[in-house]
Amino acid sequence: MIPAPAPPGGRGREGDMDRLDSDRMFVAVMEAGSFTGGAERLGTSSGQASKLVSRLEAHLGVRLLNRTTRALSPTEAGQAYYDRVRVLLDELDSLDLAIRNDSGAPRGRLRLTAPLTFGGLELAPALNDFAARFQEIELDVSFSDRIVNLVDEGFDLAVRIGRPEDSSLVSRRLCGSRLVVVAAPAYLAERGAPRTPGDLAAHDCIIDTNFRDPGRWPFGRGAEARAVPVTGRIRYSNAEACLQAAKAGLGIACVPSFVAGAALRSARVERVLQAHEVEPFGVHALYPHSRHLAGKVRALVDFLAERYRGTPSWEAGW
């Protein structure tokens, strides 16, 4: 029979903390694949790692690891114990952090990932205001268009644009944004404004190669949704660069509204094909499921939700 992992708590002189140390070491050794690797993770020696795991095996009365000169492998009981105690330790850590945060101002290091362009244009100013308000929180932010695995790469939170696809994460919608098609007044005066998406075939289109399908722009909603082929001699892997080319009168660009907002307000570009735009998309905060959400994460999500509540600032005034 496989022993159920008990809550951290020892028997006799070993004590609660010794049992907890043994459980943590066993998990570290399992995940590292060796006593040396597990010891490095927890900042101790391989001899101490072996001692703690052996003590845990003696306490449970079963062998958890098969040891050879070349490798370690879990026994059936060891794998079952790992699967269950890993969850308990995660819950304990989350609870510990939540209690610490709830007892005072949110604190600690908060790792965040966000898209490059949105991060630089819109998120960074908000994060600066957040950092000024919550001075016990250390921000570690990665602006990148790469979709990271939050759990595997140690991130607390992600800000992502579009429909969330990872059902393993909690998603909170912060605000909306949209794709807009824009061109400089001088370009439109010379070439004329397209009246339908099909008219783009006769225009110089500035291609954002970050699009999933750069050579086809999406238009319409519901049953009328379609992708229209576009061509052009300028291709950039950056929406801001595409907007700059459009402002220079070099063609028509399709960019997110948070990129085009300031240029639309100043009339440097004009919006075209407005009646054919796709459904607005969402800007979301995503974080791993946890029964006890860390105070630092809750603080940032609430701050951003309040910051972006209502019509986003980049869509005001045009």
Side-chain angles (χ1 to χ4, degrees):
M1 186 167 119
I2 298 170
R11 296 176 182 172
R13 293 183 301 172
E14 291 182 0
D16 293 347
M17 295 308 296
D18 187 75
R19 172 62 188 278
L20 182 58
D21 288 343
S22 296
D23 281 336
R24 290 194 187 283
M25 183 56 72
F26 172 67
V27 167
V29 169
M30 280 281 291
E31 294 178 348
S34 69
F35 286 114
T36 300
E40 288 177 353
R41 287 191 179 194
L42 298 186
T44 187
S45 66
S46 58
Q48 178 67 4
S50 178
K51 178 181 177 181
L52 286 171
V53 173
S54 295
R55 187 175 294 171
L56 178 62
E57 290 176 320
H59 174 77
L60 295 174
V62 295
R63 180 171 292 278
L64 300 174
L65 295 172
N66 291 315
R67 301 157 171 84
T68 69
T69 56
R70 293 186 177 182
L72 293 177
S73 62
T75 63
E76 182 180 352
Q79 185 63 55
Y81 189 81
Y82 167 81
D83 291 340
R84 296 179 65 182
V85 80
R86 171 77 267 184
V87 175
L88 290 178
L89 290 174
D90 285 344
E91 285 294 316
L92 181 62
D93 290 341
S94 295
L95 176 59
D96 180 76
L97 184 57
I99 294 299
R100 289 176 184 270
N101 284 331
D102 289 344
S103 65
R107 66 185 67 234
R109 182 176 180 227
L110 195 161
R111 295 194 69 207
L112 169 69
T113 176
L116 182 61
T117 301
F118 181 79
L121 287 176
E122 295 295 336
L123 190 59
L127 292 176
N128 291 338
D129 291 342
F130 175 82
R133 179 182 300 182
F134 295 92
Q135 298 190 13
E136 299 293 326
I137 292 178
E138 175 188 351
L139 287 176
D140 184 350
V141 184
S142 174
F143 292 132
S144 170
D145 292 327
R146 182 177 67 89
I147 301 298
V148 306
N149 185 303
L150 298 191
V151 175
D152 289 350
E153 299 186 45
F155 284 93
D156 300 293
L157 181 70
V159 172
R160 291 180 182 163
I161 297 172
R163 181 176 300 171
E165 297 180 354
D166 190 341
S167 61
S168 69
L169 301 174
V170 179
S171 173
R172 180 171 176 182
R173 192 176 190 275
L174 301 175
C175 62
S177 190
R178 67 187 72 228
L179 282 175
V180 293
V181 181
V182 299
Y187 176 91
L188 297 174
E190 179 183 350
R191 302 284 296 273
R195 296 182 179 277
T196 70
D199 293 341
L200 291 172
H203 284 271
D204 297 322
C205 294
I206 301 160
I207 310 298
D208 185 347
T209 56
N210 271 337
F211 276 29
R212 182 171 298 177
D213 188 354
R216 297 170 67 86
W217 287 356
F219 290 98
R221 303 182 181 187
E224 297 183 356
R226 62 199 184 282
V228 174
V230 293
T231 59
R233 64 189 181 90
I234 298 176
R235 300 166 67 89
Y236 289 129
S237 62
N238 178 272
E240 288 182 277
C242 291
L243 178 66
Q244 293 297 327
K247 290 195 294 185
L250 297 175
I252 298 177
C254 181
V255 295
S257 57
F258 59 80
V259 172
L264 286 167
R265 282 192 297 273
S266 64
R268 294 286 304 278
V269 295
E270 296 179 9
R271 195 170 166 197
V272 298
L273 299 175
Q274 182 174 344
H276 300 277
E277 290 174 358
V278 295
E279 290 278 359
F281 47 84
V283 179
H284 297 84
L286 296 98
Y287 49 90
H289 284 273
S290 176
R291 190 174 301 171
H292 308 287
L293 182 61
K296 60 185 179 181
V297 176
R298 185 188 304 112
L300 180 55
V301 172
D302 289 346
F303 180 90
L304 294 176
E306 179 61 27
R307 175 83 168 218
Y308 297 131
R309 185 166 56 90
T311 301
S313 60
W314 54 83
E315 292 191 3
W318 48 269

